[in-house]
Amino acid sequence: MKMTKEQPLTSRRSVLTVGGLALTALTVGLSGCAQSDALADQARAGDNKNYVAGDGSVTEFAAADRKSAIQITGTLFDGTDVTPEDFQGKVTVLNFWFAACAPCRVEAPSLEELHQEFKDNGVQFFGVNLRDEKATAEAFDKTFNLTYPSFDDKDGGVLLAVSGLVPPGAVPTTLVLDKQGRVASRVLGQIEKGTLKALIASAVAE
């Protein structure tokens, strides 16, 4: 998919619609997911049952017009503290999620595949979990074999650091940060693997 570099939100921007994406309003748990993932099935069906459809827009920001590096300080579920310095010199993918989010479940395998594909290129992935307890988040990771860590962001600290870029209710949302920690691109809604791969590759090539 060919993309055109964009100006920031206040100027020229090009939005690619990837369609059929969703924002969730679900609050159910993980029980029974190993046998049948009904939430993911609902999201794949695209019938909007039990969740609210999102616009699925993809935006790139031209390097010369990006804002300052985001200042994220937080703690991962494994207890590791993360500071803004950890985002310098590496391309970073931030995926905002929670376990009962149907489109989050659909996109999880693709995120792990991209993590494996790009980790040797110095790309780091972080999930940002907005509401789950540790046990629930770990169960999600186990269900989908996720190997990258997630922030425990129930206090909203990471979300606040990207205020204006990630709407509070827009889950999933995925950001690609450049090697200076600035937002290079954003996906509102469920990712399309090929699109996110292109966004990451573009940031790596800079």
Side-chain angles (χ1 to χ4, degrees):
M1 181 178 295
K2 184 176 179 181
M3 296 187 181
T4 303
K5 296 287 185 181
E6 299 187 8
Q7 303 301 322
L9 294 176
T10 56
S11 58
R12 184 176 63 87
R13 54 185 273 184
S14 171
V15 178
L16 306 179
T17 301
V18 294
L21 309 179
L23 302 179
T24 183
L26 297 172
T27 56
V28 296
L30 281 168
S31 60
C33 293
Q35 297 300 319
S36 176
D37 199 336
L39 296 179
D41 290 343
Q42 288 174 18
R44 291 190 186 95
D47 58 7
N48 295 341
K49 183 183 293 184
N50 293 329
Y51 60 88
V52 180
D55 65 3
S57 62
V58 178
T59 306
E60 284 189 274
F61 302 95
D65 299 301
R66 292 171 193 162
K67 296 181 179 181
S68 302
I70 60 175
Q71 301 297 303
I72 289 178
T73 299
T75 303
L76 306 178
F77 278 108
D78 65 8
T80 301
D81 292 325
V82 177
T83 67
E85 289 72 26
D86 294 310
F87 297 92
Q88 296 298 308
K90 295 182 178 180
V91 171
T92 302
V93 178
L94 288 175
N95 175 254
F96 291 76
W97 69 282
F98 59 88
C101 159
C104 297
R105 305 174 77 82
V106 175
E107 70 180 10
S110 293
L111 288 165
E112 176 62 24
E113 289 168 6
L114 291 171
H115 166 56
Q116 294 297 330
E117 181 173 351
F118 282 100
K119 66 181 182 180
D120 291 338
N121 293 321
V123 178
Q124 58 185 359
F125 277 60
F126 291 110
V128 182
N129 187 287
L130 300 175
R131 62 177 65 179
D132 295 323
E133 298 300 327
K134 182 178 180 180
T136 303
E138 289 178 344
F140 183 96
D141 289 348
K142 183 177 180 180
T143 297
F144 296 103
N145 299 312
L146 302 185
T147 61
Y148 57 86
S150 283
F151 286 92
D152 178 358
D153 200 46
K154 289 191 297 298
D155 65 358
V158 177
L159 186 62
L160 181 62
V162 294
S163 177
L165 287 163
V166 180
V171 179
T173 292
T174 302
L175 301 178
V176 178
L177 311 184
D178 66 17
K179 296 170 187 176
Q180 299 177 48
R182 304 174 303 171
V183 177
S185 55
R186 178 188 65 185
V187 180
L188 289 176
Q190 183 183 315
I191 67 155
E192 194 280 320
K193 182 181 176 182
T195 300
L196 183 57
K197 179 177 179 177
L199 295 173
I200 297 170
S202 178
V204 169
E206 291 179 353

